[in-house]
Amino acid sequence: MAVERTLSIIKPDATRRNLTGQVNAKLEAAGLRIVAQRRIQLSQGQAEAFYAVHKERPFYGDLVAFMTSGPVVVQALEGENAVARNREVMGATNPADAAEGTIRKEFAESIEANSVHGSDSAENAAIEIAFFFSGCDIVG
């Protein structure tokens, strides 16, 4: 197994309900270390750039509006198979389909307001982490 990094975002629905600590506790209990973390308010331009891969999809505008609706916590996580492990602890995108004990099953309000984002591959994780953090920000 390889130690890798992944990006996690605690979304506005979760920060609004003060769930950052509970989400982080689940990530850490799953063996992931938080090696960089920042609470920010995404601008329209930042959200559009980050989610540009979805620009042609019908939900793009709503996604950008949601992600700019309140603060988010962006963080780089590190651990054995971090991408897969993070996706496992997050649960299915649709909280109705998420396994018991996952972040989305416990905290998501809906498929849109599903509390967390996680990178879907090691390659995308590197791109996403670099979007929010410089190398000197990561202290693991």
Side-chain angles (χ1 to χ4, degrees), residues 58-106:
F59 60 82
Y60 176 73
D62 289 339
L63 176 61
V64 169
F66 171 63
M67 291 301 291
T68 59
S69 69
V72 299
V73 176
V74 293
Q75 46 197 14
L77 307 175
E78 185 176 83
E80 294 286 333
N81 296 313
V83 172
R85 187 167 292 187
N86 184 43
R87 295 189 69 75
E88 183 179 318
V89 76
M90 285 190 319
T93 302
N94 184 345
D97 299 332
E100 290 298 326
T102 62
I103 293 168
R104 288 177 172 154
K105 187 66 164 186
E106 291 190 22

Side-chain angles (χ1 to χ4, degrees), residues 123-135:
E123 296 77 24
N124 282 339
I127 293 165
E128 292 180 347
I129 290 168
F131 187 91
F132 291 107
F133 299 103
S134 70

Side-chain angles (χ1 to χ4, degrees), residues 11-101:
K11 295 180 177 182
D13 63 296
T15 62
R16 174 177 42 79
R17 292 177 291 141
N18 207 27
L19 297 174
T20 301
Q22 291 177 66
V23 170
N24 284 342
K26 285 189 166 291
L27 296 171
E28 290 176 331
L32 297 165
R33 290 186 38 209
I34 300 166
V35 295
Q37 184 179 66
R38 177 178 297 132
R39 184 180 184 97
I40 61 172
Q41 176 72 49
L42 286 173
S43 69
Q44 179 88 15
Q46 287 171 316
E48 288 173 349
F50 186 77
Y51 288 106
V53 65
H54 299 302
K55 190 172 180 99
E56 301 305 319
R57 302 185 85 172
F59 60 82
Y60 176 73
D62 289 339
L63 176 61
V64 169
F66 171 63
M67 291 301 291
T68 59
S69 69
V72 299
V73 176
V74 293
Q75 46 197 14
L77 307 175
E78 185 176 83
E80 294 286 333
N81 296 313
V83 172
R85 187 167 292 187
N86 184 43
R87 295 189 69 75
E88 183 179 318
V89 76
M90 285 190 319
T93 302
N94 184 345
D97 299 332
E100 290 298 326

